Amino acid sequence: MKKTLTAIFLSLMMMSLFAPLAMAKDDIIPDASKLVAQADTEAPADAKSVKATAGNGEVTLTWNVTTDNVAVKGYKIYYGTSSVAKEGDDYTLGPIDAGNKIRYTITGLTNGTKYYFAVTAYDAAGNESINYSDEVSSTPAQVSADNEPPKVAKTEAVIKTLVRITFSEAVKLPSLNPQSAFNIKNDTTQAILPVTKVEMDASDPSKKAVLLTTGVQQAGATYLVTVGIQIKDLADNPIVSGTSDTGFFIGSSVTNVTPPATPVVTPEQVKPAASTQQALADTVSPELISVAVPNTTHLEVTFSEPVVISNDPSANFIITEENNIENTLDVTSSVLSPDQKKVTLTTAVQKAMNYNLIVVEVKDKAGNMIGVDSNATVFFGGLSNEETDTPTEDDISALTQQTPDKTPPEDVTNLMAELADKMVKLNWTGSLNTAGDLINYVLYKSTDGTSYGKGTSIDSTAVNYELSKLVPGMTYFFKVTAKDAKGNESMGAVTSLELPCTGPELGLLLLGSLGIGRLMKKAKKTKK
């Protein structure tokens, strides 16, 4: 039905009457936050300290909080399978809006493929960091359920220049200088027995056995083998420094000038020396014979045979009050007698009460460990100051002369190397310094894991150190030792790091060798 002329006229009048009201309703003053956002033209600072941790089909990224002249609203993640090393390049994947978080997990990645990542920040006005963050990379991989490190299960001399080490599980050798992962020394003279070649024992399908070609052994001598953290199981768990990375063997007198590639020595083929037979026949654990209390701060613990103890006395000897095992008596040092059957312990001041002495993980020369069936726990009565005299200087001097200090401080632990801020940064957990005589640490650097140059002295309180002037594409080995006032130096903890050939991490080369690291810029982000 058509509208009449009058109806049309009235409609136009109503529209003209109420139009100002409609305009007034829409003309609302914007809130302050919108005005600030519209006025903000300054981009947030570049994201920093990005780290990547690989998982099964995923990579987790973390980074530091970024600043802005107003406020950072969130972060974007750019990534791809190629490195963005120069200005104008861009990532093929992403960006992912991570929101206002500093941790984000990217899922759905392909295991075995290396990915490169960079992060930017953005504010409420849409301004985004001008540059990408420093690039990081990571390769997702199938997560293994194996978290158990390998252990030394057995060591034996095959012939006078060949030693077999059997581990608790299958292991793999480092591709570069595997002989640097093994240290052998005469347990009596402390003379080093060189290791010239290391290979897997081809006759062992379980891949648990490793063959070491050595210098000529002293027949009948006891040798101590220490395995470095370069030895890992098939799940990349490194051997742990402590009691599980060592073993003893008796030097062989058997000569075989040209041993076969896979030596197999049977009792019919080789008759070991008498001392070797005796050591191999020793399956009896040491026993705790007696505990004497000469004064309020010392104990004399005697065993049935020569024993091997840790540099850390608290690892082998625990003392608790008889009536309250939660109260312990500190053991500060341990000294082994020349015949290695008696251990003199220095303790905190005893009280006139009964104590429990608990002996753990003490071994004999054949590696038999003391057990609960060997009287490993005994009671003794603490002395009061009235019952004994404090040891005189002559007493202490006699003890010192009997067993001169030849024990170095304990090694540092958890030594790690990483790229950080265009430098190589070493981090470690300090030495236990049980004897309290740690003077300094010494840092050594090597490119082959065997030949180390002159060491650099580091303060005994330090737990990290930064290096530059390193060559891209090169693998470096870093060793940190602990040194005491007598000049005794520990074997050292070792770690290695392969430097990248390309990518933003290349800045560490320029920073050290050209001295212009401060002029390096991150790759400029391409506008989307």
Side-chain angles (χ1 to χ4, degrees):
M1 183 176 180
K2 295 183 178 180
K3 293 184 179 180
T4 64
L5 185 60
T6 303
I8 294 173
F9 176 76
L10 291 174
S11 297
L12 293 173
M13 289 291 292
M14 293 293 291
M15 290 175 63
S16 64
L17 179 63
F18 289 101
L21 295 177
M23 292 174 60
K25 181 178 180 181
D26 291 337
D27 189 18
I28 299 174
I29 297 175
D31 60 44
S33 62
K34 291 183 178 179
L35 287 175
V36 171
Q38 292 171 359
D40 183 9
T41 59
E42 184 175 332
D46 297 335
K48 294 182 178 180
S49 300
V50 180
K51 298 184 184 300
T53 304
N56 183 13
E58 63 183 29
V59 171
T60 298
L61 298 176
T62 61
W63 56 89
N64 288 350
V65 173
T66 304
T67 59
D68 183 55
N69 64 319
V70 178
V72 172
K73 184 179 180 181
Y75 300 88
K76 292 183 180 180
I77 300 172
Y78 296 83
Y79 67 107
T81 55
S82 298
S83 173
V84 174
K86 60 184 179 180
E87 192 170 312
D89 287 350
D90 210 350
Y91 293 94
T92 56
L93 301 174
I96 296 174
D97 191 336
N100 195 16
K101 302 175 182 177
I102 57 173
R103 179 186 179 90
Y104 192 88
T105 299
I106 303 174
T107 58
L109 303 180
T110 302
N111 286 337
T113 298
K114 188 174 185 177
Y115 292 87
Y116 300 84
F117 304 88
V119 177
T120 63
Y122 64 88
D123 59 21
N127 301 309
E128 189 175 354
S129 303
I130 298 174
N131 302 309
Y132 291 125
S133 67
D134 284 336
E135 183 182 81
V136 295
S137 61
S138 189
T139 304
Q142 179 71 37
V143 178
S144 172
D146 179 11
N147 295 317
E148 185 71 21
K151 300 177 181 179
V152 174
K154 185 179 181 181
T155 55
E156 56 186 333
V158 180
I159 57 175
K160 65 189 304 180
T161 56
L162 193 67
V163 174
R164 180 186 289 113
I165 300 179
T166 304
F167 293 88
S168 58
E169 58 180 307
V171 296
K172 55 185 179 181
L173 300 174
S175 58
L176 184 64
N177 296 313
Q179 61 269 25
S180 66
F182 299 88
N183 180 278
I184 304 178
K185 64 180 180 180
N186 187 305
D187 195 45
T188 301
T189 66
Q190 303 300 302
I192 298 296
L193 182 67
V195 178
T196 58
K197 183 180 179 181
V198 176
E199 59 187 338
M200 298 300 299
D201 186 348
S203 68
D204 176 26
S206 69
K207 298 187 182 300
K208 295 181 180 180
V210 176
L211 295 175
L212 279 59
T213 302
T214 71
V216 178
Q217 305 157 20
Q218 178 183 342
T222 300
Y223 288 91
L224 170 65
V225 180
T226 303
V227 182
I229 59 174
Q230 301 98 308
I231 301 303
K232 301 178 180 180
D233 63 15
L234 302 187
D236 280 333
N237 298 306
I239 196 165
V240 176
S241 178
T243 58
S244 62
D245 66 336
T246 58
F248 291 91
F249 70 89
I250 304 300
S252 174
S253 62
V254 178
T255 301
N256 187 343
V257 178
T258 55
T262 307
V264 178
V265 182
T266 65
E268 291 75 17
Q269 295 170 317
V270 177
K271 183 179 180 181
S275 57
T276 304
Q277 291 178 324
Q278 182 179 4
L280 294 176
D282 181 8
T283 59
V284 179
S285 299
E287 294 186 4
L288 198 162
I289 301 299
S290 65
V291 176
V293 188
N295 52 61
T296 59
T297 58
H298 289 85
L299 295 180
E300 294 178 349
V301 185
T302 303
F303 294 91
S304 59
E305 59 179 310
V307 294
V308 178
I309 61 175
S310 168
N311 289 333
D312 177 11
S314 63
N316 295 137
F317 303 96
I318 302 171
I319 302 176
T320 69
E321 294 181 3
E322 180 184 23
N323 296 326
N324 188 350
I325 61 174
E326 294 184 358
N327 292 339
T328 60
L329 183 68
D330 290 339
V331 180
T332 58
S333 69
S334 57
V335 177
L336 198 59
S337 64
D339 65 1
Q340 298 180 312
K341 291 184 179 182
K342 180 185 291 186
V343 181
T344 300
L345 302 178
T346 302
T347 71
V349 178
Q350 306 160 17
K351 300 177 183 178
M353 63 169 59
N354 289 334
Y355 290 94
N356 302 316
L357 171 63
I358 305 169
V359 180
V360 294
E361 296 191 354
V362 169
K363 300 179 181 179
D364 62 14
K365 293 291 185 178
N368 301 305
M369 187 178 297
I370 193 168
V372 293
D373 57 344
S374 303
N375 299 322
T377 302
V378 295
F379 298 97
F380 70 91
L383 300 180
S384 66
N385 286 325
E386 291 76 16
E387 295 175 292
T388 183
D389 295 326
T390 302
T392 65
E393 292 184 3
D394 291 339
D395 294 332
I396 297 174
S397 176
L399 180 62
T400 305
Q401 292 175 6
Q402 181 184 18
T403 54
D405 180 13
K406 294 183 179 180
T407 304
E410 295 89 346
D411 271 320
V412 302
T413 55
N414 303 318
L415 177 62
M416 297 181 63
E418 61 178 350
L419 292 179
D421 297 327
K422 302 186 180 74
M423 306 278 280
V424 171
K425 186 173 184 180
L426 300 177
N427 298 280
W428 62 84
T429 301
S431 167
L432 290 175
N433 190 20
T434 303
D437 56 357
L438 175 66
I439 293 298
N440 62 281
Y441 297 119
V442 183
L443 169 63
Y444 298 92
K445 183 175 63 178
S446 170
T447 56
D448 59 12
T450 302
S451 302
Y452 289 88
K454 182 179 180 181
T456 300
S457 179
I458 302 174
D459 189 86
S460 61
T461 61
V463 292
N464 55 63
Y465 192 82
E466 293 183 347
L467 302 98
S468 61
K469 298 184 180 180
L470 303 179
V471 180
M474 180 71 73
T475 297
Y476 284 91
F477 295 82
F478 304 99
K479 178 168 68 173
V480 176
T481 65
K483 200 170 184 179
D484 65 17
K486 296 290 186 181
N488 299 308
E489 188 171 0
S490 66
M491 291 179 59
V494 178
T495 189
S496 61
L497 181 66
E498 181 179 357
L499 302 186
C501 293
T502 60
E505 294 105 332
L506 190 60
L508 68 92
L509 169 65
L510 299 177
L511 177 65
S513 61
L514 301 181
I516 57 173
R518 62 184 182 278
L519 301 180
M520 287 287 292
K521 293 184 179 180
K522 295 183 281 291
K524 192 169 184 179
K525 177 174 58 63
T526 304
K527 291 184 178 180
K528 297 285 185 178

